[in-house]
Amino acid sequence: MGLMIEEQIRQRATEIEAIIDSYLPEIEGYQKTVIDAMHYTIKAGGKRLRPMLMQETFRLFGGEGKVIEPFMAAIEMIHTYSLIHDDLPALDNDDYRRGRKTAHVVYGEDMAILAGDALLNYAFETASKAFDMDYDSQKVGKAFQVLSRKPGIHGMIGGQVADVLWTGDRINMEQLLFIHRLKTSALIECSMMIGAILAGATKEQVQIVEKIGENIGIAFQIQDDVLDVISTTEELGKPVGSDEEQGKVTYVALKGLEESQKDVELYTMEAIGRLDSLPYENTFLRELLLYLIHRNK
């Protein structure tokens, strides 16, 4: 599975890059510094996992056409803005991400803050272009609602807040899972739910997809903690052991390496079970979910 799936992921990521690029604003005008910073960060690479999950869930439910594309670009913009702000000195204070200098190092803290704001705002401007397409506007509206809610205080930002507030505290498993569920799972849930909604999935099916996204997000985050312990800086593209240095309690610190690796498997298999319960099939999506937990970076 390894090599073939990696090749397929790379191929799809390249197609997704082209879609995202087509929605980025032109670098022009007096505000071009901030637009340049938006481009710099969004083009820093990355797995393009969220738009990929969105597109594949859309395909799973038989979705066709380009209506998914503005949402794919939007979710990547939201993900990228969160990374820019995450890396700021006031938060994680990271100078490198994906092997290159972070936005605040290159453009200054002021422009990095504004570039994050700009990407978040532009994400909604981009997603709203789906309303101009000849498509069921009620589905587009529902997808837009999910895009508005999941990255916010009940989702990603809520997780960020807890993460910041509890840094340095001896938090328990319930608190840690709260952070993972909101900080990481929320955007994955968001991506998959939008794919399902736009393709016309039923309310019950969208709920199943939400649960799949939650499990995958938690598994992904535990695997991140595992890799933080066992990988080298070169493989990860970020300093290893950085979580512990910042006084953050990790899943591995609470449960140990072996148990953590087992839990990654458990959460993933639960997600796969739910996926298999749906009356549709997308072999690539299934393999992608399995690949995510066996990745080494």
Side-chain angles (χ1 to χ4, degrees):
M1 181 177 102
L3 255 181
M4 216 176 91
I5 183 81
E6 277 182 13
E7 191 44 54
Q8 283 180 295
I9 290 170
R10 255 197 304 277
Q11 212 177 330
R12 278 170 166 82
T14 307
E15 289 163 20
I16 291 167
E17 299 279 346
I19 291 167
I20 295 164
D21 280 0
S22 73
Y23 280 101
L24 285 174
E26 294 291 323
I27 303 174
E28 59 189 11
Y30 288 130
Q31 66 274 58
K32 70 174 176 220
T33 308
V34 84
I35 300 171
D36 193 49
M38 290 163 76
H39 277 253
Y40 171 82
T41 321
I42 218 159
K43 288 179 176 175
K47 305 177 188 75
R48 305 302 184 211
L49 181 60
R50 290 150 195 83
M52 199 178 293
L53 287 170
M54 187 186 286
Q55 189 174 43
E56 294 306 328
T57 309
F58 183 64
R59 287 172 175 161
L60 172 72
F61 288 98
E64 284 171 3
K66 289 186 174 296
V67 72
I68 195 75
E69 293 185 359
F71 282 97
M72 288 165 66
I75 198 77
E76 196 63 13
M77 288 171 191
I78 290 172
H79 175 56
T80 305
Y81 113 78
S82 75
L83 302 181
I84 294 179
H85 282 181
D86 230 9
D87 290 335
L88 288 168
L91 290 163
D92 287 352
N93 196 16
D94 279 323
D95 289 349
Y96 286 89
R97 180 180 287 276
R98 294 169 183 158
R100 61 191 281 188
K101 287 179 174 169
T102 45
H104 67 89
V105 175
V106 178
Y107 296 92
E109 213 174 324
D110 47 6
M111 279 300 147
I113 291 168
L114 291 168
D117 294 344
L119 274 168
L120 175 58
N121 215 85
Y122 204 72
F124 290 103
E125 190 177 329
T126 301
S128 72
K129 289 177 179 172
F131 286 109
D132 296 331
M133 295 178 174
D134 186 19
Y135 203 79
D136 182 341
S137 59
Q138 201 176 356
K139 287 193 183 95
V140 175
K142 277 266 170 253
F144 203 86
Q145 278 184 321
V146 173
L147 189 74
S148 310
R149 181 182 166 88
K150 286 285 180 188
I153 50 169
H154 303 290
M156 184 183 72
I157 289 174
Q160 297 274 41
V161 169
D163 196 17
V164 170
L165 285 176
W166 293 334
T167 295
D169 290 356
R170 293 219 47 77
I171 62 168
N172 60 30
M173 185 53 81
E174 187 195 343
Q175 289 169 299
L176 186 66
L177 281 175
F178 177 86
I179 293 172
H180 287 352
R181 198 169 282 127
L182 270 66
K183 195 176 167 182
T184 307
S185 293
L187 276 203
I188 293 176
E189 289 163 25
C190 182
S191 307
M192 296 183 79
M193 288 167 77
I194 286 171
I197 289 163
L198 288 174
T202 66
K203 204 174 168 181
E204 288 72 24
Q205 287 169 341
V206 173
Q207 284 169 345
I208 291 171
V209 164
E210 183 174 22
K211 206 67 190 138
I212 293 169
E214 182 186 315
N215 285 347
I216 288 302
I218 293 172
F220 188 84
Q221 196 50 58
I222 301 170
Q223 178 70 353
D224 233 25
D225 291 352
V226 166
L227 291 173
D228 200 50
V229 175
I230 62 176
S231 286
T232 63
T233 300
E234 210 169 291
E235 260 186 358
L236 275 181
K238 63 176 186 181
V240 176
S242 58
D243 289 336
E244 284 191 30
E245 273 169 38
Q246 290 167 359
K248 288 187 179 176
V249 173
T250 67
Y251 202 92
V252 177
L254 286 179
K255 282 197 95 167
L257 193 57
E258 212 173 303
E259 282 299 311
S260 299
Q261 287 169 315
K262 273 186 201 155
D263 286 355
V264 171
E265 201 77 39
L266 278 174
Y267 277 109
T268 305
M269 292 330 287
E270 193 179 320
I272 296 287
R274 289 176 200 274
L275 182 66
D276 290 344
S277 77
L278 293 165
Y280 304 97
E281 208 178 333
N282 179 339
T283 314
F284 173 74
L285 177 60
R286 195 177 191 278
E287 284 188 12
L288 175 63
L289 298 183
L290 286 169
Y291 171 78
L292 290 179
I293 61 147
H294 296 126
R295 73 191 201 283
N296 57 4
K297 57 181 171 185

